[in-house]
């Protein structure tokens, strides 16, 4: 199985030569780290740090929502984090940034790998009902111009035996004809930059973004079971996404931070 390293030279030149990727100040690749998110959260203490990309060929302490561990063999995945400063945004709509990232990942995977990726609210990427990628956003610096780190973990060449959980999958297992990780990284960064730039230019208006998210979200219209803190279980039809990015189950809104587990009947 080909698990070639990322082409660092190509990624570096992309920032200088590809117009959309000029959005980013640097794309850095390291062989191994504990957590790319944690590394960029630490760098956010420097107020000049912005639009940084950090990718690890191997991640020892990757995390998902609610501190769930995320691990993978070296070079079998894309473990990538982005640090962006979201200037002048209403904190109430900041929760749309990880959802925007989900849209970008879905579009990149569809275009490059040719698989029918969809979103599971809030920001898991699924293929045939199995998890292909997860996204975790963390506020690294609060204030009027908050710094946010968004991490993406995408399973690329994992075999069935290497999957972290039975309901996961990889591009290899999904039969993707193209699994070049360098090409995938370029596509994800390009889609993120395009979406973020348009959102910022709109004054952080969510109309276009929310329409794009709903179009790609398989959770909407499905019967869901949401496990909430304190043991409460909420069941019903997922009827929509509200203006804050919360899922509407019937007429009740639940936030990503309040849901410990969401199961949907797709």
């Amino acid at each position: 199985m080909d698990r070639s390293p990322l082409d660092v030279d190509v990624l570096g030149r992309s920032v200088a030569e590809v117009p959309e990727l000029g959005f980013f100040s640097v794309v850095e690749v390291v062989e191994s780290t504990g957590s790319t998110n944690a590394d960029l959260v630490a760098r956010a203490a420097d107020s000049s740090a912005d639009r940084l990309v950090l990718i690890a060929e191997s991640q020892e302490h990757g995390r998902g929502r609610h501190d769930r561990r995320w691990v993978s063999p070296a070079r079998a995945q894309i473990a990538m984090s982005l640090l962006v400063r979201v200037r002048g945004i209403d904190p109430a709509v900041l929760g749309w940034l990880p959802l925007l990232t989900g849209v970008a990942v879905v579009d990149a995977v569809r275009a490059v790998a040719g698989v029918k990726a969809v979103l599971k609210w809030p920001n898991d990427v699924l293929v045939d009902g199995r998890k292909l990628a997860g996204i975790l956003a963390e506020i690294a610096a609060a204030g009027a111009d908050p710094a946010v780190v968004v991490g993406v973990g995408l399973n690329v060449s994992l075999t069935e035996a290497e999957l972290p959980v039975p309901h996961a999958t990889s591009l290899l297992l999904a039969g993707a004809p193209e699994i070049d990780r360098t090409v995938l990284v370029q596509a994800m960064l390009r889609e993120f930059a395009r979406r973020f730039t348009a959102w910022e230019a709109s004054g952080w208006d969510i109309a276009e973004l929310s329409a794009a998210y709903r179009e790609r979200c398989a959770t909407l219209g499905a019967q869901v079971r949401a496990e909430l803190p304190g043991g409460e279980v909420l069941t019903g039809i997922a009827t929509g996404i509200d203006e804050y990015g919360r899922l509407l189950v019937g007429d009740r809104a639940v936030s990503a931070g309040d849901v410990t587990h969401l199961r949907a009947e797709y």
Side-chain angles (χ1 to χ4, degrees), residues 71-204:
V71 295
S72 169
R75 293 190 284 278
Q77 81 300 311
I78 294 171
M80 175 172 71
S81 294
L82 319 175
L83 167 62
V84 290
R85 296 192 184 268
V86 196
R87 293 178 169 81
I89 195 170
D90 179 350
V93 298
L94 195 55
W96 277 95
L97 182 57
L99 276 62
L100 176 152
T101 308
V103 171
V105 172
V106 162
D107 287 357
V109 166
R110 287 179 179 181
V112 173
V115 297
K116 292 188 65 176
V118 296
L119 288 163
K120 173 188 173 184
W121 181 88
N123 40 41
D124 284 348
V125 178
L126 308 182
V127 174
D128 296 328
R130 300 173 72 181
K131 183 173 177 177
L132 179 70
I135 294 161
L136 175 68
E138 302 178 78
I139 295 178
D145 300 327
V148 183
V149 174
V150 187
V152 177
L154 172 68
N155 296 332
V156 179
S157 65
L158 275 75
T159 64
E160 199 77 44
E162 292 171 329
L163 294 175
V165 290
H167 59 268
T169 190
S170 68
L171 290 176
L172 177 70
L173 293 172
E178 175 61 81
I179 58 171
D180 184 312
R181 293 184 309 130
T182 300
V183 176
L184 284 161
V185 166
Q186 288 177 305
M188 287 192 290
L189 294 180
R190 188 164 51 245
E191 290 295 336
F192 179 90
R194 185 173 67 83
R195 291 277 176 190
F196 186 97
T197 300
W199 191 29
E200 184 177 39
S202 74
W204 311 115

Side-chain angles (χ1 to χ4, degrees), residues 41-52:
V41 167
R43 291 194 201 180
D46 176 357
S47 61
S48 66
D50 189 14
R51 302 188 178 188
L52 308 180

